[in-house]
Amino acid sequence: MLTGCGNSTDNKTEEVSGQGRQEENQEQVHLTFLTNEAAGDEQHLEYYEQLISNFESKNPGITVELLQGGDWQDMETKLNAAMLSNTYPDVILCPLNTFGQRAALGDFMDLSEYIEGWEDKEDIFDASIDIGKYQGISYGIGGFPVPEVVMYRKDYFKEAGLDPNSPPETWEELYDYAKKLVVMDDSGNVERGGFDVPISDPNVTLMEVFMRQAGNKIIDSEKGEICIDQPSAIKAMEFLKKFIDEKLTITYQRGTDDPVLSGKSAIGIVYLDSAKKILEEDPSMKDKLGFFPYLNGGEEAAFTGYRVMAVSETCKNKEAAWKFAKYFYNSDEMWNRYEKFGNIPVRVSLSDKYIQENPELNKVVMASVEKGTGRPVSGWVSVLTKYEVQAYEEIMNGVKEPEQALKDAAEAARAEIDSQQ
């Protein structure tokens, strides 16, 4: 069972000297810290134990107990049980979808004043601060960014007579490039795609990033409104559908051997770890692969997944909890996590240092993180996702036109959300 803040104890010491008598009161604070980063991973467990030890040595009077969660569903189960038993953890590092759901339930304390008064605030990426907001209020700080980047094949660009060092920047350029890069067989089937557009997008990150590039919010978190049936979202889906209708992409389901990763396509949006894996397994690919951070469909936008650190509303020692959160995001610990696990730092002062580690790729990564955002921070994003997935498949498989599919999805999501309130 998770344990809460615990009761503070007063340690009183009396010292008598020739000058008189001095009494000192010292309050001992116990915090609990829940993360799923250390679950089943000895290296991460050792890191967090050392992190806590370092914090405690610098902050005598505060002890931190590490609690481990599993995946986001396991964390949800643990947090629900903790709420019922009044043992809610004091500090939580959780996936973004968990953060949105728990913020909507009122589980987290408002950190706005703490963040505004934070001496290092200006050194933290705006994206990290913004991702920790729910309905305009700061309930957490984003970290551990997991960006998607656009990967392309320089060798295929050369074959098509395109400059390998000038990838497309806009939707219009992407469409023109794809028409030049696609390779057809003698039967008129796509042998090698121009740009990867899947017939299904289970995580809806491709769908949503193109909507954002068209100026759509997906969910207006401050107003609590679903936006996927607005003209900007329809425009994005109509654009993606062109690649399938005009045979500019290989038919595939996202997350199952994305064509660009296996050389079956010239351009595709991939997770950073997938791109790094290719380079690690075959260093000769370094000269054949190029990367850029995002496309522009009117606005520049990229997808970046996050974990968010928050402090519980029930925590009895909020000042100590905030002190631990700040320590977690200090420069030394942030760089330590990069060196140990490859976690991307979210401090402006560490950007150049990170880029120097791998200039060509990391420059792109930093640009993607700075422009990127994750899934909408909302208490009912999981409901919307279900209908987004359905709408996307209906559009790409020709079952419904984009406008109708998105209208139906938005109406169904609204109806389900209303029924739950």
Side-chain angles (χ1 to χ4, degrees), residues 294-409:
Y294 43 74
L295 290 152
N296 189 328
E299 294 189 15
E300 297 173 339
F303 175 80
T304 301
Y306 277 93
R307 295 181 185 276
V308 183
M309 178 166 278
V311 176
S312 74
E313 181 61 34
T314 58
C315 179
K316 298 184 180 108
N317 295 286
K318 292 180 172 59
E319 293 291 337
W322 171 243
K323 187 175 287 188
F324 178 70
K326 286 198 301 180
Y327 184 82
F328 188 84
Y329 282 90
N330 77 57
S331 293
D332 290 341
E333 287 297 338
M334 199 174 286
W335 191 253
N336 190 14
R337 288 193 291 273
Y338 165 70
E339 291 185 323
K340 286 181 178 295
F341 310 114
N343 297 147
I344 301 165
V346 293
R347 278 182 172 265
V348 176
S349 59
L350 294 177
S351 295
D352 288 344
K353 187 177 180 180
Y354 173 76
I355 290 171
Q356 289 170 9
E357 295 284 302
N358 185 346
E360 185 173 358
L361 180 57
N362 287 0
K363 183 177 181 180
V364 170
V365 171
M366 271 296 158
S368 183
V369 170
E370 289 174 3
K371 290 286 185 180
T373 189
R375 301 294 317 286
V377 178
S378 168
W380 32 263
V381 68
S382 60
V383 174
L384 180 61
T385 300
K386 176 172 61 176
Y387 294 107
E388 282 181 297
V389 170
Q390 180 179 326
Y392 184 93
E393 293 181 359
E394 289 172 341
I395 294 167
M396 298 308 162
N397 288 282
V399 177
K400 293 180 182 178
E401 291 298 315
E403 183 174 2
Q404 189 62 52
L406 293 174
K407 178 182 177 182
D408 291 348

